[in-house]
Amino acid sequence: MTIPEEIDTPEIIIDRDVLQRNIDRMATAVQAKGLHLRPHVKTHKVPEIAQMQLAAGAVGLTVATLGEAEVFAEHGAKDIFIAYPLWVGPRQAERLQRLATKARIAVGLDSREAAETMAASLGDAVGEIEALLEIDSGHHRSGISPDAAVDVAQAAARAGLRVTGIFTFPGHSYAPGMPLKAADEERLALGKTADLLIAAGFPITNVSGGSTPTATLTGTSGATEVRPGVYVFGDAQQLELERCAAEDIALTIAATVVSRHEGTDVIPRRIILDSGSKILGGDRPGWATGFGRLLDHPEARISALSEHHATVVWPAEATLPALGDRLRVVPNHVCIAMNLVDEVTVVSGGEIVDRWRVAARGRNK
């Protein structure tokens, strides 16, 4: 795809045709396994994309914060899961109650204290919100061990919360060689926890897992749904993990060559693009080969970022781009890139067809 002439750089471009194909493919793959799809919309923060996901068969949406839940509920979402442990005081409780008048709302928790505080803050409205316990399946961020789940669930139930399920985030799948291992650890942790809770008398109806690297690896034994997010766009991390191909990349940053240098024996051959950390984001896992990739030049490497510029080391055997050339950059972590802009340009068949507002941008609380 060529970058439309009307676009000034740097600019996020979404290829609507690739986006739709990614949405449809994940929906089909998940449904074939007998699972529900509840995509994580923190990746894109765009109501139009959420509607495309729901139209393709998603049962609801996953969000990161109350603020994101409010945005998507305002745009018609009827089933929302806030998939992180929440600490709910009086102000958060008021917001949850308002949300519950518009949609089914479920929240995460992973401690007795959080459950008791949430229930006390919700008061008479405690029965309007569902609670899912977060289980640590190997990522070691938030979440409790399977053996601790019954104790937390009983405390939540005594406080008046409706515990309807469990969830995990296999975030350790974001590393080379880890997706299969993470998916297996997810299966074991969720299965053990569900068995313990059901034996303790809890009607566990939601067993939720799955990241983009593991969503199509999640089996049907125990899980009821998966919550991938990045799959709609793909990014450089997914490329390097071989969880997507170049033709699956739906989001790129259009950038212009503003400086070029043939290099010497001691200074690298390179170009400079007008797309730095303020549009690409600065994430670079230790295993990544650079600060992003060039979609049409996979042999090049982004070796450094400043706020407004990217340094791209160019291989000796390839033609160095000219000043003014426009290239497509794939960010390492697409979720961060989307949170750095107010609007994105949508193209189809190489032509601009729309502009979408990143409506949930900055809704971090």
Side-chain angles (χ1 to χ4, degrees), residues 173-179 240-241 287:
S173 61
Y174 284 82
M178 286 301 294
E240 295 209 28
L241 291 172
W287 47 265

Side-chain angles (χ1 to χ4, degrees), residues 51 76 86 102 113 135 149 175-176 205 212 249 256 268 355 359:
Q51 288 304 316
L86 291 187
K102 300 174 182 177
E113 294 85 354
I135 306 304
T205 57
T212 289
I249 298 295
T256 299
R355 285 188 65 80

Side-chain angles (χ1 to χ4, degrees), residues 38-61:
R38 183 182 295 278
H40 209 317
V41 296
K42 77 174 179 66
T43 293
H44 55 73
K45 303 176 177 64
V46 175
E48 288 88 345
I49 298 177
Q51 288 304 316
M52 293 169 70
Q53 293 171 302
L54 291 167
V59 297
L61 304 178

Side-chain angles (χ1 to χ4, degrees), residues 4-18:
E5 286 297 326
E6 307 96 298
I7 288 176
D8 292 326
T9 64
E11 173 75 22
I12 288 184
I13 303 174
I14 295 174
D15 187 318
R16 190 179 65 187
D17 305 319
V18 179

Side-chain angles (χ1 to χ4, degrees), residues 66-67 69-70 73-74 82 86-103 105 107 117-126 128-129 363 365:
L66 277 166
E70 288 164 342
E74 285 294 332
I82 306 171
L86 291 187
W87 188 264
V88 177
R91 290 187 299 278
Q92 292 82 6
E94 289 178 8
R95 294 168 70 187
L96 280 173
Q97 290 177 59
R98 288 195 296 270
L99 277 168
T101 67
K102 300 174 182 177
I105 301 296
V107 302
T117 300
M118 185 185 306
S121 298
L122 285 167
D124 293 340
V126 67
E128 299 173 10
I129 307 298
R363 297 298 296 269
K365 58 183 179 179

Side-chain angles (χ1 to χ4, degrees), residues 19 22-23 26 37-45 49 53 62 169 174 209-213 215 226-235 238 334-335:
L19 172 68
N22 291 344
I23 288 171
M26 181 63 78
L37 179 62
R38 183 182 295 278
H40 209 317
V41 296
K42 77 174 179 66
T43 293
H44 55 73
K45 303 176 177 64
I49 298 177
Q53 293 171 302
T62 304
F169 172 57
Y174 284 82
S211 58
T212 289
V226 290
R227 308 183 318 277
V230 175
Y231 77 94
V232 292
F233 296 142
D235 60 17
Q238 299 304 313
V334 73
C335 307

Side-chain angles (χ1 to χ4, degrees), residues 96-332:
L96 280 173
Q97 290 177 59
R98 288 195 296 270
L99 277 168
T101 67
K102 300 174 182 177
R104 171 191 170 268
I105 301 296
V107 302
L109 60 87
D110 73 349
S111 69
R112 298 175 55 150
E113 294 85 354
E116 291 162 356
T117 300
M118 185 185 306
S121 298
L122 285 167
D124 293 340
V126 67
E128 299 173 10
I129 307 298
E130 294 184 35
L132 277 69
L133 306 186
E134 183 171 13
I135 306 304
D136 180 4
S137 61
H139 184 42
H140 306 320
R141 186 176 64 179
S142 49
I144 52 178
S145 71
D147 291 332
V150 171
D151 179 61
V152 175
Q154 288 173 338
R158 285 194 299 269
L161 286 168
R162 289 188 294 137
V163 178
T164 63
I166 55 176
F167 74 106
T168 191
F169 172 57
H172 53 311
S173 61
Y174 284 82
M178 286 301 294
L180 280 169
K181 183 175 187 292
D184 191 50
E185 290 177 344
E186 172 194 79
R187 177 183 58 82
L188 293 171
L190 289 177
K192 178 179 180 180
T193 308
D195 288 345
L196 289 170
L197 288 169
I198 291 169
F202 288 92
I204 299 302
T205 57
N206 301 320
V207 180
S208 182
S211 58
T212 289
T214 62
T216 58
L217 304 174
T218 298
T220 57
S221 57
T224 61
E225 69 176 27
V226 290
R227 308 183 318 277
V230 175
Y231 77 94
V232 292
F233 296 142
D235 60 17
Q237 290 185 103
Q238 299 304 313
L239 279 174
E240 295 209 28
L241 291 172
E242 298 183 344
R243 301 310 298 168
C244 75
E247 57 267 26
D248 302 323
I249 298 295
L251 182 150
T252 53
I253 286 90
T256 299
V257 178
V258 295
S259 180
R260 71 190 296 275
H261 305 271
E262 284 292 350
T264 68
D265 291 341
V266 295
I267 300 174
R269 189 168 185 254
R270 67 201 185 278
I271 61 170
I272 307 301
L273 299 173
D274 61 352
S275 56
S277 62
K278 285 189 172 178
I279 193 164
L280 288 176
D283 266 17
R284 182 182 178 180
W287 47 265
T289 59
F291 288 93
R293 301 292 289 272
L294 300 190
L295 187 58
D296 304 303
H297 303 277
E299 71 283 1
R301 289 294 181 271
I302 301 176
S303 62
L305 291 180
S306 54
E307 289 183 72
H308 296 286
H309 298 92
T311 301
V312 185
V313 176
W314 212 262
E317 66 277 8
T319 301
L320 198 67
L323 287 166
D325 280 357
R326 286 139 68 92
L327 307 177
R328 295 188 293 167
V329 184
V330 184
N332 270 342

